[in-house]
Amino acid sequence: MLNLKDEIIKLKKKLNAVILAHNYQIPDVQDVADFVGDSLELSRKASETNADIIVFCGVMFMAETAKILNKNKKVLIPDLNAGCSLADSINLEQLRNWKKEHPDAVVVCYINTSAEVKTECDYCCTSSNAIKVINSIPEDKEILFLPDMYLGMWIKRQTKRNNIHIWPGECHVHAGFKYEDLVNKMKEHPDAEVMLHPECGCTTQCLYYSNGNLKVLSTSGMIRNAKESPYKKFIVVTETGILYPLKKANPEKEFIPADENAVCKYMKMITLEKVYESLLELKYEVVLSEEVIEKAYIPIKRMLEIN
Ligand code: 13P
Ligand code: SF4
């Protein structure tokens, strides 16, 4: 029987390929990856790699970002159905119509958007640099922020700007966290620090309730924070895939999922078998037109320059 991990490593070497994986990927996939990280770190790695082929183990908007940053390289995604409910909450036509209502606004998109939508945006941002990106835009400029309403509300609160209009999109996984359940978890574990992803529907309410023991963080921000924090126990409010890299990096600490059913079915579509087949048959190639690559590169490049 084939040892898939060994075969993947051999193929990777033979093809001069690199495997990039998001923090929510299943443990087996994270274990064969050359780099595991959050959206911003993965974009950076994609922009720096010398490999000829990038196998992107994540969801489509992430693989598209890798392609936009490497138009002359082959970018593969092991399953074409690995989408994102948040990215699907706005399309090109909807954005064009929204822009018509605010012709002077600067458009900031979360990285969780399709390449097509990015072509109509001025700046891109991720959960780890959203505040920095917004603060780089002159205060008197009206902003259209899309597509995550919870991230948008949190940004508005943090930056104290009233001129940000927010698209009403959400991620089905993060919108599902309920304030009441989380408060019960906090009562159950008063000695834990809470690490919450800004896509969560309960972010604002939880910030009011917390006693200075709650941090809003990107997925890799959670891993870094768990290392540096004096706390030994953490309530983790995001997709459960993050528990694997959290435990790996902090074996002596305890991590309690806010909801063990918070699973992104799209992230879990990538399996070891599919990664192997992807390398073996060079599938599925991410294909974008020259025009889309050129235009979508602008907001991504601006974001990378800010950070
Ligand atoms: P991060 O950039 O924080 O990893 O988030 C990506 C994402 O899709 C969260 O649902
Ligand atoms: Fe998209 Fe939500 Fe899955 Fe992240 S967890 S990839 S935002 S559907």
Side-chain angles (χ1 to χ4, degrees):
M1 213 176 90
L2 277 184
N3 178 323
L4 282 181
K5 284 188 181 168
D6 290 348
E7 295 302 314
I8 287 169
I9 290 162
K10 271 192 230 158
L11 276 172
K12 225 170 46 172
K13 225 178 178 173
K14 188 173 144 200
L15 298 166
N16 187 27
V18 68
I19 299 182
L20 303 181
H22 186 264
N23 286 319
Y24 295 159
Q25 290 290 293
I26 60 167
D28 272 347
V29 170
Q30 293 197 26
D31 286 346
V32 292
D34 296 278
F35 182 78
V36 181
D38 67 9
S39 309
L40 182 62
E41 292 171 332
L42 291 167
S43 307
R44 281 208 184 291
K45 282 283 165 192
S47 72
E48 291 160 2
T49 184
N50 292 320
D52 297 317
I53 296 172
I54 299 172
V55 181
F56 207 103
C57 299
V59 293
M60 189 51 107
F61 75 82
M62 297 178 176
E64 283 184 345
T65 305
K67 179 66 188 174
I68 293 161
L69 291 164
N70 292 282
K71 64 174 187 169
N72 297 321
K73 289 185 178 163
K74 208 183 263 299
V75 177
L76 306 173
I77 184 162
D79 190 324
L80 281 175
N81 294 315
C84 168
S85 59
L86 177 55
D88 285 346
S89 66
I90 189 164
N91 63 32
L92 189 60
E93 199 193 340
Q94 288 170 313
L95 175 54
R96 282 184 175 152
N97 288 335
W98 198 31
K99 283 175 70 172
K100 275 185 205 149
E101 291 168 25
H102 304 272
D104 298 324
V106 173
V107 183
V108 181
C109 64
Y110 190 32
I111 196 158
N112 297 43
T113 40
S114 68
E116 224 183 21
V117 163
K118 286 188 179 80
T119 63
E120 286 283 340
C121 298
D122 300 303
Y123 291 86
C124 184
C125 73
T126 75
S127 58
S128 64
N129 64 10
I131 306 284
K132 251 193 196 170
V133 170
I134 297 290
N135 283 337
S136 76
I137 299 165
E139 258 176 62
D140 59 334
K141 269 281 177 198
E142 207 182 354
I143 292 175
L144 297 185
F145 183 83
L146 64 118
D148 191 286
M149 63 175 154
Y150 300 118
L151 176 65
M153 276 152 58
W154 177 69
I155 289 171
K156 211 168 166 173
R157 191 186 135 101
Q158 294 301 109
T159 60
K160 299 187 175 60
R161 279 178 83 135
N162 288 321
N163 54 358
I164 306 180
H165 304 277
I166 301 166
W167 186 259
E170 62 177 30
C171 150
H172 71 292
V173 180
H174 289 88
F177 289 104
K178 296 283 166 276
Y179 170 67
E180 294 75 19
D181 297 343
L182 203 54
V183 166
N184 286 336
K185 275 258 148 91
M186 290 191 220
K187 283 184 184 154
E188 219 181 293
H189 304 281
D191 53 339
E193 184 172 46
V194 182
M195 299 194 292
L196 185 141
H197 197 277
E199 284 173 23
C200 292
C202 56
T203 308
T204 310
Q205 282 170 300
C206 288
L207 276 167
Y208 276 118
Y209 177 83
S210 80
N211 218 349
N213 63 338
L214 184 146
K215 286 195 182 133
V216 180
L217 298 158
S218 76
T219 56
S220 289
M222 291 183 189
I223 300 170
R224 283 190 292 274
N225 178 68
K227 260 201 165 139
E228 292 156 11
S229 169
Y231 283 85
K232 299 269 175 278
K233 205 190 222 190
F234 301 86
I235 298 172
V236 183
V237 201
T238 191
E239 210 268 352
T240 55
I242 189 66
L243 294 166
Y244 180 66
L246 269 173
K247 282 182 191 152
K248 207 170 166 180
N250 303 280
E252 74 293 354
K253 298 200 174 182
E254 188 185 348
F255 300 98
I256 302 148
D259 177 359
E260 50 281 329
N261 297 315
V263 175
C264 175
K265 64 177 181 188
Y266 303 111
M267 284 282 180
K268 305 313 185 225
M269 283 178 182
I270 312 295
T271 60
L272 212 52
E273 288 76 11
K274 288 182 195 169
V275 176
Y276 171 64
E277 282 164 18
S278 177
L279 281 162
L280 194 66
E281 295 169 32
L282 300 182
K283 66 182 189 188
Y284 297 92
E285 188 167 357
V286 177
V287 182
L288 296 171
S289 72
E290 274 286 332
E291 193 192 348
V292 166
I293 291 180
E294 210 172 286
K295 289 186 179 162
Y297 180 61
I298 298 166
I300 298 171
K301 183 172 163 268
R302 284 190 182 136
M303 169 185 82
L304 294 175
E305 281 167 358
I306 289 169
N307 239 259

